[in-house]
Amino acid sequence: SDATAMPPPTAPPATLEKKTNNRNRRRRSRPTPKNKNSNIKTEGINITKPHHPTRSDDVSTASTAPSSDDSFSSDSCSSPQRKRFQNSRRSATATKNSDINNANSHKHHPSSASSSPKKNNKKSPSKKSTPPKKSTSKNTNSCNKKTSPKSKPSKQPPHKPATITLPQITPEEKSQYVALDAEMVGIGPFGHISALARVSLVNWEGEVLFDTMVRVPEPVTDYRTFVSGITPQDLEGPDVLTFEECRSRVEEMIRGKILVGHGLKNDLRVLNLSHPWYDVRDTAKYEPFMKHSTEDETVLVAKKLKVLAKDKLGMAIQEEGMSHCPVEDAVAAMELYKKHRVKWEKSVEWKMERTEQIVGQ
């Protein structure tokens, strides 16, 4: 028979399908991203994955690489191989995310690193903070005394006034002090001119040294009885001394003495006498006993003797409706001086030293 041209033998379809599967298996061993420079989003950080070029496939029947892990069909590879590939991809992604999260945690919180890629949103039950236990040990420091905040302060006894002990004064020193007071009547028109009518002197103890009425040589126009207590009959007795006799006796008694009184300037003027300033203790001129003037606060004026006696001594003199007693007034002036003698004498000594410095220049 004639030989006929036979077509070349072709591979059976099963063999072609087997070769195609082998090629696809080799290409799947190097998976490629679905896009160039695809972005992988992690927690708070964008990481760009570089593109790896693959070799082209000449076989037209071969399919391209899948775009995701779950896009493999059952016809392209067997089920066990697909599972192994998916598991390897997932483990690689989890490892990469874990490394990124560790880097972030070290950046923001260097002291603590999280091993899990995601934060656990579940709030752990907060532990109740227990208050610190009070120390029961006793404080050995005696200066720190335990006091309750609600404890009331202990009642202190009422403050007692401080008592000042004055230095003892000898009888000889006492004999150097004399208190003087005088009462006047008015002469001349309307009785505006003062004339001596009575003089009283007392010692340190308040005992009367001299007390006499004085005859007025001129007619008296105002006896000032409501103040002086003198009446016309008091100036007409046989025991009334003349002005010259009274003046000489008073001058003799106060010579070389420390003269105490209130408003001594007026008393000495009416007696026509003078006394050294450093031997005068006038309660009307002692600054602690004076007050500021109502017209000018820079000016000091004298207080009344009865005000000083009541404030400083608690003594009542010159009461309303009663005339003045020169003996009583002299005693009050002496008591005021005795109470403030130490401070008063220091001020006099300072004035004397200052005067000597001025005179010696």
Side-chain angles (χ1 to χ4, degrees):
S1 65
D2 297 332
T4 59
M6 296 295 289
T10 59
T15 305
L16 181 61
E17 184 179 358
K18 185 175 181 180
K19 292 180 179 180
T20 303
N21 290 338
N22 292 335
R23 291 193 190 98
N24 290 339
R25 191 179 297 111
R26 287 196 298 271
R27 294 187 62 181
R28 287 192 192 98
S29 63
R30 291 197 301 257
T32 59
K34 64 177 181 177
N35 292 325
K36 267 189 176 183
N37 300 328
S38 61
N39 296 332
I40 299 174
K41 291 186 178 181
T42 57
E43 290 185 4
I45 296 178
N46 295 331
I47 298 176
T48 302
K49 183 177 180 181
H51 173 70
H52 298 283
T54 60
R55 58 184 181 175
S56 60
D57 190 2
D58 295 336
V59 182
S60 59
T61 59
S63 61
T64 59
S67 60
S68 63
D69 297 338
D70 297 333
S71 63
F72 298 105
S73 62
S74 60
D75 295 335
S76 61
C77 65
S78 61
S79 176
Q81 293 175 348
R82 182 177 62 185
K83 288 182 179 180
R84 285 196 298 271
F85 177 74
Q86 290 177 355
N87 292 336
S88 62
R89 286 292 304 275
R90 288 172 183 169
S91 62
T93 303
T95 304
K96 187 178 293 184
N97 291 341
S98 176
D99 295 340
I100 293 171
N101 289 335
N102 289 338
N104 291 337
S105 62
H106 279 290
K107 182 178 180 180
H108 296 287
H109 302 285
S111 62
S112 61
S114 173
S115 60
S116 62
K118 293 184 180 181
K119 295 181 180 179
N120 189 8
N121 294 329
K122 293 183 180 180
K123 295 182 179 180
S124 60
S126 59
K127 296 181 180 180
K128 294 183 180 180
S129 59
T130 57
K133 295 183 180 180
K134 295 183 180 180
S135 174
T136 56
S137 61
K138 294 183 180 180
N139 192 356
T140 57
N141 189 1
S142 60
C143 297
N144 299 329
K145 296 181 179 179
K146 294 183 179 180
T147 57
S148 175
K150 296 183 179 179
S151 62
K152 296 181 180 180
S154 58
K155 293 183 179 180
Q156 298 181 353
H159 177 70
K160 295 181 180 180
T163 57
I164 301 174
T165 303
L166 297 177
Q168 295 294 330
I169 184 171
T170 63
E172 294 180 359
E173 292 176 342
K174 291 180 181 179
S175 64
Q176 299 298 317
Y177 294 93
V178 177
L180 169 69
D181 191 71
E183 297 294 338
M184 283 80 80
V185 294
I187 60 175
F190 306 103
H192 293 323
I193 301 174
S194 297
L196 182 63
R198 184 179 176 182
V199 179
S200 298
L201 292 170
V202 298
N203 61 6
W204 178 270
E205 303 295 343
E207 299 172 351
V208 178
L209 298 177
F210 182 71
D211 184 19
T212 184
M213 294 291 181
V214 180
R215 186 176 289 111
V216 181
E218 297 181 13
V220 178
T221 56
D222 186 4
Y223 284 91
R224 305 174 185 175
T225 306
F226 68 95
V227 176
S228 62
I230 297 173
T231 61
Q233 292 78 16
D234 295 334
L235 301 180
E236 295 177 357
D239 297 333
V240 178
L241 299 177
T242 62
F243 177 77
E244 289 75 12
E245 292 175 348
C246 178
R247 178 182 177 277
S248 62
R249 291 186 64 175
V250 171
E251 182 182 12
E252 182 182 356
M253 296 179 70
I254 67 173
R255 186 181 296 120
K257 307 287 185 178
I258 296 177
L259 188 62
V260 182
H262 188 80
L264 287 174
K265 181 179 179 180
N266 298 327
D267 296 340
L268 293 174
R269 181 194 301 159
V270 77
L271 282 165
N272 197 16
L273 293 173
S274 63
H275 203 70
W277 66 268
Y278 48 84
D279 285 339
V280 174
R281 307 292 185 267
D282 193 346
T283 56
K285 296 296 183 180
Y286 184 50
E287 290 187 6
F289 291 167
M290 300 178 74
K291 64 180 180 180
H292 293 281
S293 174
T294 56
E295 298 178 357
D296 187 0
E297 293 185 355
T298 60
V299 178
L300 294 175
V301 296
K303 290 183 180 180
K304 292 183 177 180
L305 181 60
K306 73 173 185 177
V307 174
L308 291 173
K310 186 174 182 180
D311 293 345
K312 306 293 184 180
L313 305 173
M315 182 187 298
I317 60 172
Q318 301 177 2
E319 295 180 357
E320 294 292 335
M322 299 181 65
S323 60
H324 297 184
C325 175
V327 175
E328 190 178 62
D329 294 350
V331 171
M334 181 63 78
E335 293 298 325
L336 285 169
Y337 169 74
K338 289 163 65 174
K339 187 173 182 180
H340 300 269
R341 181 176 66 88
V342 176
K343 185 177 180 180
W344 200 330
E345 290 301 324
K346 288 182 179 180
S347 66
V348 173
E349 290 177 4
W350 180 85
K351 290 179 182 179
M352 291 177 66
E353 292 176 358
R354 183 61 179 164
T355 303
E356 291 177 358
Q357 293 175 0
I358 295 173
V359 172
Q361 291 178 354

